[in-house]
Amino acid sequence: MAKYDYDLFVIGAGSGGVRAARLAALSGAKVMVAEEHRVGGTCVIRGCVPKKLMVYASEFSHSFETARGFGWTIDNPRFDWPRFLAEKDKEIARLSGIYVRNLENAGAELVHGKARLIDAHTVEVEGHDRVTAGKILIATGGRPWMPKALKGVEHAISSNEAFHLTELPKRIVIAGGGYIAVEFACIFNGLGVETHLVHRGPNILRGFDDDIRTHVTEEMGRRGVRVILSTQHDAIEKTATGLVSRFTGGHHCESDVVMFALGREPCTDDLGLDAAGVKLDEKGAVVVDEFSRSSVKNIWAVGDVTNRINLTPVAIREGHAFADTEFNDKPTSFDHEMVASAVFSQPPVGTVGLSEADARHKYGKIDIYMTRLRPMKTAFAGEDERCLMKLVVDAESQKVVGCHVVGPDSAEMIQMAAIALKMGVTKQQWDSTCAVHPTLAEELVTLREKYLPPGLGQAA
Ligand code: NDP
């Protein structure tokens, strides 16, 4: 008789949980997965996927403008928000269904309801009998953090609600300067909504390379997003005509929707983690080692709930590494170095490796290669849009330690650049790569002159 009902119990059927559950089940383990919402997690249901569909929808307005420069006549294009939402929801339902089928095909059992640990081996799912499991994986993800003490916060939405607004607002105020705030500001702006982005700091996208941050702000402004820096909400008031955002410093702004994107918090409350003795950090994230094992030896955690790098592919790799280690006799830890990411702003950002400031801090002497250029397509159409490309090189080893791009297709470009950087490419090897012409990406492999800040001139 088996000691436990299940070999593995996974709490949360998002990207990380599903990957781990599937692989464990395929190895022959008896696996149960609990999900309190829809299968697919943040990425599929209320994150990356619906967001990217909204990015696609919103990019057309700019494409129509560019098309005019190429001789097209486009009369009175209109956007049907309810129709888009219905199509988007159909696609999300389709993808969620694929996740469910993948779990079933692998032989994992899915149970719907909120799961809670009773002790380190016992789980209770609301409305179901308690079960025991030899190993438990916490993959409950994160959720938007809202400033609960702010006056009038009940009038504001988070990204969760932004996917389901019954009407497209005419005016929106988005607070925050991270991925979500920037992406949604560009989405709503592209859909014709008067958009204010309000951020407490002197520049958006903290942690990114400073040239990238400034460049994105300028380009967003060029496309119509009103970026207001160094201020934040003091209160939100509901009036007869909309919502008034009151900011520190006395300014105010009226809109139809106020959205907060001020970061996300790990979903660890009410999970019974204390009962099991699982250690959390000061932000409520599960503390794990490089094999994603928590402070309790039979409990692991992957994805946003551990607040390491909060990206879908990272959660998937952490879940995969866990399953390989624990169920396939292949000890694997995911390497969190050189993980590329993209901000789907308009224009988008692709980035991998260190910013100039971080590289200077780490290596002391670094070489910078940077160019700003007008992409052929938009320049032909008479637009002033600029693309920025930047390489950060460790002066001593000549390894390329950072690559940053703002411009069309930068998210696609950076995936390829990440391979080279992960392999430890040197600038000389990078330069030996022949260009693909005519492309924007060719500029990246033809950066020959070291960049010096204005006033110092260009070095040989
Ligand atoms: P981020 O942590 O990226 O940004 C949070 C922003 O809110 C920062 O600009 C921060 O300012 C600001 N902020 C935090 N607290 C306050 C406060 N009390 N008052 C005012 N401003 C505040 O969070 P997001 O919500 O944008 O995204 C969460 C995570 O989701 C990201 O880190 C990313 O890992 C992931 N994500 C990835 C995407 C992608 O890959 N394209 C897309 C969307 C999300 P400051 O900089 O001053 O701290």
Side-chain angles (χ1 to χ4, degrees), residues 107-357:
E109 254 178 81
L110 180 62
V111 58
H112 288 278
K114 166 103 185 160
R116 201 171 284 106
L117 299 187
I118 303 301
D119 60 42
H121 285 286
T122 312
V123 189
E124 182 175 76
V125 180
E126 252 168 13
H128 300 266
D129 291 337
R130 287 182 183 183
V131 295
T132 58
K135 294 174 183 180
I136 292 173
L137 179 69
I138 312 293
T140 46
R143 62 171 164 243
W145 177 84
M146 295 293 273
K148 293 180 193 69
L150 183 86
K151 196 167 154 245
V153 68
E154 67 278 10
H155 302 305
I157 64 164
S158 72
S159 56
N160 285 351
E161 292 74 40
F163 293 115
H164 302 286
L165 293 171
T166 46
E167 266 179 56
L168 186 63
K170 294 206 164 32
R171 305 161 296 174
I172 192 165
V173 169
I174 299 180
Y179 284 80
I180 297 180
V182 168
E183 293 181 341
F184 273 91
C186 294
I187 287 169
F188 283 112
N189 179 61
L191 294 176
V193 180
E194 182 188 297
T195 305
H196 285 83
L197 179 71
V198 181
H199 174 50
R200 67 177 175 185
N203 208 349
I204 59 171
L205 294 176
R206 186 162 60 83
F208 285 72
D209 185 272
D210 285 338
D211 286 309
I212 299 297
R213 300 168 72 191
T214 307
H215 192 85
V216 176
T217 310
E218 283 168 10
E219 290 300 319
M220 281 170 67
R222 203 193 296 284
R223 293 219 189 167
V225 178
R226 295 161 204 200
V227 183
I228 305 174
L229 298 171
S230 303
T231 192
Q232 56 184 315
H233 276 85
D234 232 359
I236 301 168
E237 288 159 19
K238 195 168 170 55
T239 67
T241 51
L243 297 173
V244 176
S245 294
R246 299 214 171 270
F247 302 120
T248 50
H251 304 296
H252 70 277
C253 173
E254 195 181 75
S255 65
D256 307 306
V257 171
V258 176
M259 172 177 156
F260 285 122
L262 306 180
R264 295 173 63 85
E265 56 188 2
C267 294
T268 47
D269 48 341
D270 205 19
L271 274 179
L273 295 174
D274 320 350
V278 175
K279 201 170 146 208
L280 305 181
D281 70 11
E282 67 288 351
K283 292 198 166 138
V286 180
V287 178
V288 290
D289 67 11
E290 73 268 33
F291 291 98
S292 297
R293 191 194 288 258
S294 79
S295 55
V296 177
K297 72 175 188 331
N298 71 304
I299 300 181
W300 288 257
V302 295
D304 291 6
V305 76
T306 62
N307 198 21
R308 286 175 281 181
I309 301 178
N310 298 332
L311 298 172
T312 297
V314 172
I316 290 172
R317 294 293 292 268
E318 289 167 355
H320 199 124
F322 158 76
D324 274 350
T325 306
E326 296 302 320
F327 294 94
N328 284 316
D329 206 15
K330 210 163 60 173
T332 313
S333 66
F334 173 65
D335 176 10
H336 290 80
E337 290 295 312
M338 286 291 178
V339 172
S341 77
V343 184
F344 294 99
S345 44
Q346 297 172 36
V349 180
T351 181
V352 60
L354 299 177
S355 67
E356 177 177 343

